[in-house]
Structures are given as structure tokens and as C-alpha cells.
Amino acid sequence: MSLAVLYSRALSGMHAPLVTVETHIANGLPSFTIVGLPETEVKESKDRVRAALQNAQFKIPAQRITINLAPADLPKESGRFDLPIALGILAASGQIPADKLDQYEWAGELALTGELRPIHGALAMTYSAAESGRSFVLPQQNATEAALVKKAHIYAAQSLLQISAHLSGDAPLSVYTRLPGTQNDAVNYLDMAEVKGQARVKRALEIAAAGNHSALMIGPPGTGKSMLAARFPGILPPMSEVEALESAAIQSLSQGSFDIANWKRRPYRSPHHTASGVALVGGGSHPRPGEISLAMHGVLFLDELAEFDRRVLEVLREPLESGKITISRAARQAEFPARFQLLAAMNPCPCGYLGHHSGRCHCTPDQITRYRGKISGPLMDRIDLQIEVPAVPQEELMQQRSTGEKSSTIRKRVEASHQRQLNRQGKTNNRLGVKEIDQFCTLDATSETLLRQAISRLNLSARAYHRILKVARTIADLSAAEKINNQHIAEAVQYRRLDKL
């Protein structure tokens, strides 16, 4: 047989399109050609494959070898095509049986010794292979994360010789199964009870966690903003299987592999304020996910928000609304999910001590206005909860034991509220559309009058109006109320006042 056909996967954003690896061996001067829009890593495959075949004691045909990676208009990158290319040469030259090749998909980088090295994006490729109904053969190091796709049939291999023995029937590989205890269902987070005082701020963060709302904390240095943010994931509801798989797939694309110890753990990303726009949203010649995608179904914490470049912050506006980001480059376009929860913190003024009981602030009104003006109105409008974080009184700070609630106690209320939202509308309150707001956020006459007055006095936008209704709906869910009342509206309005000060 001079022709062999195998299947593999490319990566395009979160998708893993099918790649057909066709190998043809013909008479002529010895040559090794790879066609089908291969990039540098793929072009170098022929040298790795040649050395791996020789060191594994296989014969390299002294003929004209042509490898076609179809479709031809899809860019092919990375060393994951080494394994299907090597197997294609062996099958086309009759050194291994070719009758079962179409039952599998293959991915793996070859060492010069013939050993298999790990690849990145294994989770996304495994998911697509499972959808096609074929089994997936990949390096041993990627098997644990690939097995997170429950319906997938995984074969983990360590070398080219092991795979050839499997295909010939001499030593068949067994389907890889995840070992008991590799799934981390008991996730440990930092405890909210460790933060002394700040009961009002904790209440606001509980609302944010229950309805998946974005939040901004404004307060002097040392008031516990970063501590509260670090403990915020601990009060979020547990991740579902679908959410955990989506989050793991994103991390697999970015970091090369997913750490199974982080399974079902809410991501917490905290980029430095010197981060660029590309670092936040993703990019590169081969588009990779940025911080907003790596925080998928988790928390993106931006500390010192006013110190970020304004143009960098503006890139957050679209994904905050749509939950996705499309990265366009000259040759490629990729779309990544970006359903993250924004949590930010900043000082109230340039020196940081406006409103502090020490009276240390001497910033002029002009300086304060310029400082807060670094955050654009449209971005501030998209932040649901704007929370003042005051300095903790000395007596409360010096208490030996914290009197605050544990994260586990807060999380129970959050979970109950979250479940009410799913039962009622199938999504969190933050994701309600205009028609759904009209349906689920109805007001009585008293509440409507109160909201009208707030809109008039605070000069709120239509977006702020809708966000107040969604926050009020979450507050009502936390108190197990069927309808929104004026107390819920009053509390929700309180969280929109800081941008008007």
C-alpha cells in the first residue's frame, strides 16, 4: 500500500477542526515533502520523524514521500502532527497494518528517540474527537486531562513502538480511565472570616457572588480590598461539569496542559496593572487566550484599577457585555469565551487617603476628578456594584478573633440564591436580557417611584437602570422573596452612587 490516511486535529481558538493526514510514497528520487499550509514547527517534523523512525528500528523508504495536511487552507502549527505523519509513513510502506487507522485520531510530538512528548490543547482536541465517534491516541502526559471528557475513548502511549505494537495486535493498549481520587471535588479556598470588619462590603460581595455581578471596591490602602478579593472565589457557587470542562479547556490551550489538581476550582486571575491589552484579551500570530478567557467561570481581579492604561481597560467593555472576545489578525481570526466575573479595586484619590479617619489626604478636587476620570464612564456604567471600603476601626482590628461569617456559611446562601435563579430563568441574573428583565424584575408602585427618583437624582443611564433591576432581583433572591420590593431597590441603588460623588 503506497497511500495511508490518518486523522488528527488542528486548533483554531477553542475549536479543534479535523485534519486529514494523507501519506503517499512513490517511485523517484528520495525526498520528504509536507504540503497543506504547514508552519515552521510542522515543516521541522520531517527531521524529527526521520530520526525517530531510525532510532525505533523502522525503515525509511528511499522513495518520494509526500505528506498532505488537509484542508489546505487551514494553517497547521505545533509538533502534534509528528505522530500521524510517522504512522502514515509506516502504514504506506507496509511496516504496520493500516486496516484500523480510520478508527482513531492521533496527536503527539516525537522525540528523536521515538518517545512521545506532551502537546497543548489536548482537552479541546479530545472533545472534538469524541464528537466524531473516533478514539483518540495521545501522549501519556496528556491522558489525565483528556480523560476529563467523559464520553471520550482515550489511549495513552509513551512511544512510537508502543503504538505500532498496538496496531499489529502484539500488545494492545487498554482504554485509559481516570484513577479514583484524581477528580478534585473538595476545593479549599481562603476563608472570608479571616477579614476583620467590613460587614457591609462582605454583604455587597455576597450579592455579587449570588448574581454573578461585577464589582468595584474603592477605599484607602490597607482596608482589606485585596484580602476580600482573594477570598471571593470561596463564596461562589460550585462549578458544574460543563463550566469546569470549559475552564479547563481554556487553560489547556494557554498553558500546554491542565493541572488536574485545579479541576472544579474557580480560576482567579490577577494581572499586574502594567499588563497590555493583548495580555488581557489574548492575541499573537497564533491567537492564544488572554486573562479574561483564562478567568472563564472564575474571577478577574484588577487591583489598582486607575493605574491601568485607559486603552487597556477599554478592551473589557465588549466582553463584559457579550461574554466572548473575537481576535482578528491579518491571516487568522479566533473567538474565545470570556464569561468572567470582574472584581476591581482602586484608591479614592491619588494619595489614597480620601475619607480616612487620619485626615491625611490633601488632594484637591481637581486632582481627585482627574484620578477617577482614568476610568471611563462607559466602563464604570458596566460595573454593577460600586462599593466603598472604609478603614477598619482600631478596636475591631485588634480583636484576637474575627466575628465575621465563614465563607462556607455565606456560600450556602449564595448557592440557594443561585439555584433559585436557575430554576426560574435558567441563567444567573447578570445575564438577563431586556425582555427577561421585564418578565422577572417587575416592580410594585412604591418601588417604581423610588427607582424613578434615583434615576432622576443620580442621572443614571438606561444601562444603569437595567443593572439596578438585576442587582435588586439578586437581593430579592437572597432573601427568598418572589417579588422585588422597595428595600431591594433602595439597597441596589446604594451600589450605584460612588460614580456620582
Side-chain angles (χ1 to χ4, degrees), residues 112-345:
L112 301 186
T113 59
E115 301 292 315
L116 287 178
R117 286 180 172 156
I119 55 176
H120 75 272
L123 209 50
M125 289 187 283
T126 305
Y127 183 81
S128 298
E131 291 292 313
S132 72
R134 287 184 283 266
S135 300
F136 194 46
V137 183
L138 76 173
Q140 180 77 42
Q141 298 95 318
N142 294 115
T144 304
E145 63 171 304
L148 294 173
V149 183
K150 290 186 176 180
K151 58 183 177 181
H153 288 83
I154 306 296
Y155 290 92
Q158 295 179 338
S159 67
L160 189 60
L161 281 172
Q162 198 174 21
I163 294 175
S164 64
H166 169 74
L167 291 172
S168 63
D170 296 335
L173 295 170
S174 57
V175 177
Y176 182 89
T177 54
R178 188 168 50 193
L179 296 174
T182 58
Q183 181 168 320
N184 185 22
D185 287 325
V187 181
N188 294 319
Y189 295 103
L190 296 173
D191 201 327
M192 194 69 80
E194 296 171 355
V195 182
K196 295 182 179 179
Q198 304 297 9
R200 185 175 179 274
V201 183
K202 292 177 182 178
R203 164 66 176 174
L205 293 180
E206 180 181 339
I207 295 169
N212 196 35
H213 301 290
S214 53
L216 169 64
M217 296 180 285
I218 303 180
T223 55
K225 301 187 295 294
S226 298
M227 282 187 71
L228 287 161
R231 285 150 181 78
F232 182 71
I235 65 173
L236 293 174
M239 297 181 83
S240 66
E241 286 283 336
V242 173
E243 289 176 339
L245 194 58
E246 288 177 345
S247 177
I250 284 283
Q251 293 178 52
S252 173
L253 283 175
S254 174
Q255 301 167 7
S257 63
F258 173 70
D259 186 355
I260 195 66
N262 292 327
W263 175 246
K264 286 198 170 183
R265 184 180 185 88
R266 295 274 182 186
Y268 178 82
R269 307 291 301 187
S270 181
H272 193 260
H273 62 258
T274 55
S276 66
V278 172
L280 279 186
V281 302
S285 55
H286 304 297
R288 293 288 180 88
E291 293 290 339
I292 63 173
S293 295
L294 292 173
M296 182 72 175
H297 298 306
V299 179
L300 177 67
F301 177 53
L302 302 183
D303 199 6
E304 304 295 346
L305 186 68
E307 301 302 326
F308 280 80
D309 187 280
R310 181 165 177 152
R311 290 172 297 179
V312 172
L313 292 179
E314 293 306 296
V315 303
L316 297 174
R317 286 160 55 176
E318 179 195 344
L320 272 173
E321 294 283 347
S322 64
K324 60 183 179 181
I325 182 71
T326 301
I327 300 169
S328 297
R329 296 293 179 262
R332 300 184 67 174
Q333 187 180 70
E335 182 179 285
F336 295 105
R339 200 160 294 285
F340 61 95
Q341 189 161 1
L342 177 64
L343 195 59

Side-chain angles (χ1 to χ4, degrees), residues 235-461:
I235 65 173
L236 293 174
M239 297 181 83
S240 66
E241 286 283 336
V242 173
E243 289 176 339
L245 194 58
E246 288 177 345
S247 177
I250 284 283
Q251 293 178 52
S252 173
L253 283 175
S254 174
Q255 301 167 7
S257 63
F258 173 70
D259 186 355
I260 195 66
N262 292 327
W263 175 246
K264 286 198 170 183
R265 184 180 185 88
R266 295 274 182 186
Y268 178 82
R269 307 291 301 187
S270 181
H272 193 260
H273 62 258
T274 55
S276 66
V278 172
L280 279 186
V281 302
S285 55
H286 304 297
R288 293 288 180 88
E291 293 290 339
I292 63 173
S293 295
L294 292 173
M296 182 72 175
H297 298 306
V299 179
L300 177 67
F301 177 53
L302 302 183
D303 199 6
E304 304 295 346
L305 186 68
E307 301 302 326
F308 280 80
D309 187 280
R310 181 165 177 152
R311 290 172 297 179
V312 172
L313 292 179
E314 293 306 296
V315 303
L316 297 174
R317 286 160 55 176
E318 179 195 344
L320 272 173
E321 294 283 347
S322 64
K324 60 183 179 181
I325 182 71
T326 301
I327 300 169
S328 297
R329 296 293 179 262
R332 300 184 67 174
Q333 187 180 70
E335 182 179 285
F336 295 105
R339 200 160 294 285
F340 61 95
Q341 189 161 1
L342 177 64
L343 195 59
M346 62 180 285
N347 294 328
C349 65
C351 79
Y353 288 96
L354 178 66
H356 195 274
H357 56 74
S358 65
R360 294 169 57 182
C361 177
H362 299 288
C363 297
T364 65
D366 255 3
Q367 290 175 320
I368 296 171
T369 300
R370 281 198 301 272
Y371 181 77
R372 295 192 179 186
K374 294 180 180 180
I375 317 299
S376 71
L379 178 60
M380 188 70 82
D381 216 27
R382 287 170 167 83
I383 299 177
D384 299 330
L385 305 173
Q386 297 156 21
I387 315 159
E388 184 179 3
V389 187
V392 181
Q394 187 177 8
E395 298 78 16
E396 200 168 6
L397 184 63
M398 297 185 69
Q399 288 180 356
Q400 293 299 315
R401 293 183 180 180
S402 175
T403 57
E405 289 183 302
K406 292 182 176 294
S407 291
S408 56
T409 305
I410 302 173
R411 186 168 59 247
K412 287 179 182 178
R413 294 196 296 268
V414 169
E415 288 178 26
S417 171
H418 180 73
Q419 193 58 51
R420 288 187 192 99
Q421 296 166 44
L422 297 183
N423 293 341
R424 182 178 60 242
Q425 66 227 10
K427 61 177 73 172
T428 56
N429 289 331
N430 185 53
R431 296 175 60 188
L432 291 175
V434 176
K435 290 183 178 179
E436 293 165 323
I437 291 174
D438 293 338
Q439 180 181 354
F440 301 117
C441 302
T442 55
L443 303 178
D444 57 26
T446 307
S447 302
E448 190 172 335
T449 301
L450 178 61
L451 186 53
R452 283 180 185 275
Q453 293 173 349
I455 292 172
S456 175
R457 291 179 182 178
L458 299 177
N459 194 25
L460 299 176
S461 67

